[in-house]
Amino acid sequence: MSPAIEPHDLRLMPDGRTLVVGADLEDSGRADDPSDNGMPGAGAAYVFQRTGAGWSEPVYLKSPMPRRGSGYGFAVAVSEDAQALAVAAPFETGVSS
């Protein structure tokens, strides 16, 4: 079962087979741990593929450098051939040491 998603931005490819959802308010955490939701508002993005009459379980994307309130998923863009994806994090402040 897919998680509940509170989307901010959606992109459906013209062929209707690929849907990208940005969820910038989602709590997130380390990119290598899908269950880590320790950073409020770090955000996420989801990619769904149409499979017959339904949709696949989403590919879940987190920022490689998540930060509280960074808004990853605020905006999403997909290339026309659905081979490239861009996810915005407008409140990302950069790398901290």
Side-chain angles (χ1 to χ4, degrees), residues 51-83:
T51 56
W55 292 90
S56 65
E57 284 292 314
V59 173
Y60 180 51
L61 305 172
K62 292 183 175 189
S63 170
M65 299 181 306
R67 302 282 185 267
R68 287 183 201 279
S70 67
Y72 185 81
F74 182 83
V76 294
V78 184
S79 64
E80 287 190 30
D81 64 0
Q83 297 301 304

Side-chain angles (χ1 to χ4, degrees), residues 38-53:
M39 294 181 205
Y46 297 84
V47 180
F48 297 87
Q49 294 289 320
R50 187 110 172 121
T51 56

Side-chain angles (χ1 to χ4, degrees), residues 5-77:
I5 301 171
E6 216 173 296
H8 182 264
D9 197 16
L10 304 168
R11 292 288 176 259
L12 180 63
M13 295 304 301
D15 68 3
R17 297 184 48 81
T18 303
L19 174 68
V20 180
V21 179
D24 65 317
L25 298 177
E26 180 169 306
D27 296 345
S28 194
R30 291 190 352 248
D32 64 345
D33 182 358
S35 66
D36 182 356
N37 294 320
M39 294 181 205
Y46 297 84
V47 180
F48 297 87
Q49 294 289 320
R50 187 110 172 121
T51 56
W55 292 90
S56 65
E57 284 292 314
V59 173
Y60 180 51
L61 305 172
K62 292 183 175 189
S63 170
M65 299 181 306
R67 302 282 185 267
R68 287 183 201 279
S70 67
Y72 185 81
F74 182 83
V76 294

